[in-house]
Amino acid sequence: MQVKKQRGSDRSTGEGTRKKSSCFSNIKIFLISECALMLAQGTVGAYLVSVLTTLERRFNLQSADVGVIASSFEIGNLALILFVSYFGAKANRPRLIGCGGIVMALGALLSALPEFLTKQYEHKPGQTWRTEVGRNGCANSTRNGGQYIEELCSNKANTNMMYLLLIGAQMLLGIGATPVQPLGVSYIDDHVKRKDSSLYIGIVFSTLVFGPACGFLLGSLCTKFYVDFLFIDTSKLDITSDDPRWIGAWWGGFLLCGALLFFSSLFMFGFPQTLSDREKDRDGGGESEQAMLPSTSLPLDYNEMPKSSNGVVHNNHEPVNGPTCFQQLRVIPKVTKHLLSNPVYTCITLAACMEIGVVAGFAAFLGKYLEQQFNLTTSSANQLLGMTAIPCACLGIFLGGLLVKKLNLSALGAIRMAMLVNLISTACYVSFLFLGCDTGPVAGVTIPYGNETLQVGEKPEVPCMSNCNCYTSSVSPVCGSNGVTYLSSCFAGCTTTNLTGCTCISSDSEMATAVPGKCPSPGCQEAFLTFLCVICACCMIGSMAQTPSVIILIRTVSPELKSYALGVLFLLLRLLGKL
């Protein structure tokens, strides 16, 4: 009787344990957690891009400084991605992903810190035509208006500190992002049926791409609030979000992203190294995953190492005399050479690098291009990008994975599909050469300014602005009532804060007015709508190749090298694709 009770007790305990762990033993729950973390990662990355011009004005940064801040994420990521993807495959991958999420959350919170360490932003109504001259403004202190520049120079040390803090925060974001994609994708592929793998991976990458849509929309929302709205009464401000002097609450998005990263990463710590109810017994199990590969063997040194948790081999007990860390590091170059000697893997990687080069260029400059070419505000440009192009790319990635699954494409069929959609998207990109708006009349640039053309850094000698301290390094365009764009209200000869009495526009005081921004070009709205439709088509068609390419890539390598192969891919994407 006692034995039966004991067995019944053991059975109930085992069932209770299974019920407790069932939530974190389901690959679909891991998929949701991974998607949440990738969504947060994509959001914070795009959010930084959306507020770069705001950071430039807020902290008196130059364009080169902003470029360094944006590149710091890549520097942190490149430094560790090979080591994390190699050694992480031998550890508990979900927990390592969770640790990366915590580091990213810390980086996002530190990104917002400079706003709370510096003084409040101030704009002087009497200096509507002035813009920040950069952290190296001291070099220009001998010019007229030196008192204003000396005030900027007095804050240079503080600006440098904020600049370095932003760089450090972005490096933390890059370091934390290293395990999320390579380890997460390999973990999912190890625990789903092979025919379902393309759909799962398509969902993951479409979520990552959807993150930038949220980032741009968040940037559009945050920049509509004044930077110091928590500390001052914004109803007393004499400027609006359409004014070039406006600085939005750029720091708010980083706080929200930090919270999202932190809470989404906590779920990762509940998943085991290997799921108990693995679906990896895929479709007969014994089928070779590398039927399309040349027969190449792994380096001998690697075969002597403890195997990773990727798929086929998993040892629960470490060898007594395991290899040292230095011995494992020596194997990494040999394994990398083994991967790159695989022609299929190399060709897919190079093709992905070329594709990401186009995407990186669009992500970096499309917002500014829309502002300059179609006369949109920063907020409007971010909103349009977040609501159109990025969701189309997200849909394309999902459709690519769905087509591979529904059509049951072989490796060769997936390659043909990737080639076809890339050719079509390339033809779409060529059409951008014929889309755009005319520059329109700009005083001193496209039409003569009096009797001369403006030269960089020099003041034009015209009577209407003889008493103004204007230089071409200060650009804050205004549209005159005569339909001509001026580089700033100073170049229009405006003597009041409400942009009236602009003597360079007209001698008649009633007609001598201006409004912030460039003058609209005729037919520009129609051209913009056409541009928007074409870019949506390009994004959707081109992104359909991503999931088939990843599926081919992870099938061309040994199962235990899956995580490392993805790590090498992401390293080369950042190293070559974003040059």
Side-chain angles (χ1 to χ4, degrees):
M1 181 67 79
Q2 255 181 338
V3 173
K4 287 183 179 179
K5 285 182 181 178
Q6 183 68 32
R7 287 177 180 172
S9 174
D10 292 343
R11 190 180 298 110
S12 63
T13 303
E15 290 176 358
T17 304
R18 281 194 295 273
K19 287 181 181 178
K20 276 186 181 179
S21 62
S22 61
C23 178
F24 292 104
S25 297
N26 191 333
I27 189 61
K28 294 179 181 177
I29 302 298
F30 179 84
L31 176 67
I32 295 173
S33 303
E34 174 77 0
C35 287
L37 192 56
M38 290 188 114
L39 177 67
Q41 179 191 340
T43 300
V44 71
Y47 181 77
L48 172 69
V49 175
S50 71
V51 298
L52 282 179
T53 54
T54 302
L55 288 173
E56 188 175 354
R57 296 195 304 269
R58 178 65 180 94
F59 296 108
N60 308 323
L61 301 175
Q62 297 176 348
S63 297
D65 301 327
V66 173
V68 172
I69 293 173
S71 301
S72 299
F73 178 94
E74 311 297 341
I75 295 172
N77 194 277
L78 290 173
L80 291 179
I81 190 168
L82 284 185
F83 303 104
V84 171
S85 58
Y86 181 80
F87 292 105
K90 306 174 187 296
N92 188 310
R93 286 174 284 177
R95 291 181 184 176
L96 194 57
I97 293 171
C99 291
I102 298 294
V103 174
M104 282 195 291
L106 178 61
L109 296 176
L110 286 178
S111 296
L113 191 59
E115 182 59 40
F116 302 97
L117 296 181
T118 189
K119 66 180 184 179
Q120 294 182 9
Y121 172 68
E122 297 178 359
H123 69 277
K124 298 182 180 181
Q127 294 177 334
T128 57
W129 54 83
R130 297 202 185 267
T131 58
E132 309 297 353
V133 297
R135 294 186 303 117
N136 297 322
C138 294
N140 301 324
S141 59
T142 58
R143 293 180 178 175
N144 294 334
Q147 181 180 358
Y148 170 74
I149 298 178
E150 286 174 5
E151 291 176 4
L152 293 178
C153 294
S154 64
N155 297 324
K156 184 176 179 180
N158 185 52
T159 299
N160 286 337
M161 186 183 72
M162 301 302 112
Y163 173 61
L164 294 175
L165 184 58
L166 287 169
I167 290 177
Q170 291 303 309
M171 290 187 71
L172 278 179
L173 281 167
I175 291 171
T178 51
V180 178
Q181 295 179 36
L183 300 187
V185 171
S186 65
Y187 191 84
I188 289 173
D189 188 66
D190 287 341
H191 295 90
V192 298
K193 295 179 180 178
R194 184 184 305 175
K195 65 178 182 179
D196 296 332
S197 183
S198 61
L199 180 61
Y200 278 71
I201 293 175
I203 293 172
V204 168
F205 280 106
S206 62
T207 306
L208 177 64
V209 175
F210 187 71
C214 298
F216 281 112
L217 290 176
L218 184 61
S220 175
L221 176 64
C222 289
T223 52
K224 288 182 179 178
F225 293 91
Y226 189 66
V227 62
D228 295 318
F229 75 94
L230 291 178
F231 311 108
I232 65 172
D233 184 6
T234 55
S235 62
K236 297 181 180 179
L237 290 174
D238 60 347
I239 59 174
T240 64
S241 58
D242 295 327
D243 194 295
R245 296 169 295 165
W246 177 271
I247 300 293
W250 62 271
W251 48 269
F254 285 117
L255 295 180
L256 291 174
C257 291
L260 180 60
L261 283 165
F262 178 77
F263 289 111
S264 60
S265 62
L266 291 181
F267 291 96
M268 287 294 177
F269 292 97
F271 293 97
Q273 183 169 350
T274 301
L275 297 182
S276 56
D277 57 341
R278 293 173 59 139
E279 298 179 26
K280 184 71 178 176
D281 308 325
R282 338 188 189 191
D283 312 324
E287 185 183 348
S288 172
E289 289 190 342
Q290 305 180 68
M292 62 177 174
L293 294 181
S295 56
T296 55
S297 58
L298 287 170
L300 182 62
D301 293 347
Y302 183 83
N303 292 326
E304 298 172 357
M305 297 291 172
K307 303 301 179 185
S308 69
S309 58
N310 284 351
V312 285
V313 184
H314 177 69
N315 295 332
N316 293 323
H317 302 286
E318 294 291 333
V320 178
N321 297 320
T324 64
C325 182
F326 178 73
Q327 288 174 325
Q328 295 192 51
L329 286 174
R330 290 178 58 188
V331 178
I332 292 181
K334 298 179 181 179
V335 175
T336 306
K337 180 181 178 182
H338 168 75
L339 285 176
L340 297 179
S341 63
N342 183 331
V344 179
Y345 177 85
T346 303
C347 289
I348 293 293
T349 301
L350 290 177
C353 288
M354 296 177 188
E355 186 176 359
I356 204 66
V358 176
V359 175
F362 265 74
F365 298 108
L366 186 57
K368 182 170 285 189
Y369 177 80
L370 292 177
E371 291 179 40
Q372 300 298 324
Q373 184 66 251
F374 299 104
N375 200 23
L376 299 177
T377 62
T378 302
S379 176
S380 300
N382 291 336
Q383 195 170 4
L384 285 169
L385 286 175
M387 295 177 64
T388 55
I390 296 176
C392 288
C394 174
L395 178 62
I397 293 175
F398 176 76
L399 288 177
L402 187 63
L403 285 174
V404 172
K405 173 181 167 60
K406 292 297 183 182
L407 300 178
N408 197 22
L409 295 179
S410 63
L412 186 59
I415 291 176
R416 287 172 177 170
M417 173 184 168
M419 289 180 61
L420 177 63
V421 296
N422 278 324
L423 286 174
I424 296 174
S425 65
T426 301
C428 290
Y429 286 128
V430 174
S431 65
F432 289 151
L433 297 173
F434 309 100
L435 298 174
C437 297
D438 294 332
T439 303
V442 180
V445 179
T446 61
I447 61 173
Y449 198 107
N451 294 323
E452 61 179 298
T453 301
L454 295 181
Q455 300 296 326
V456 176
E458 295 183 6
K459 174 184 174 182
E461 300 296 334
V462 289
C464 64
M465 51 184 297
S466 57
N467 296 324
C468 303
N469 295 320
C470 306
Y471 293 92
T472 54
S473 57
S474 298
V475 177
S476 181
V478 296
C479 178
S481 55
N482 57 354
V484 176
T485 300
Y486 295 84
L487 296 186
S488 69
S489 57
C490 179
F491 283 100
C494 302
T495 56
T496 59
T497 58
N498 57 358
L499 301 181
T500 58
C502 305
T503 55
C504 292
I505 296 176
S506 174
S507 57
D508 185 355
S509 58
E510 294 184 359
M511 299 293 295
T513 59
V515 294
K518 296 191 301 181
C519 294
S521 302
C524 195
Q525 186 175 2
E526 292 77 7
F528 172 69
L529 292 176
T530 305
F531 178 86
L532 204 59
C533 293
V534 174
I535 196 172
C536 285
C538 284
C539 291
M540 186 177 72
I541 297 172
S543 58
M544 290 177 66
Q546 181 168 341
T547 303
S549 299
V550 174
I551 291 295
I552 297 165
L553 185 140
I554 61 180
R555 295 288 179 267
T556 62
V557 298
S558 303
E560 59 266 28
L561 288 181
K562 199 178 299 179
S563 296
Y564 186 66
L566 290 169
V568 173
L569 169 67
F570 293 125
L571 170 73
L572 294 177
L573 287 180
R574 289 183 167 89
L575 198 60
L576 301 179
K578 296 186 178 181
L579 285 177

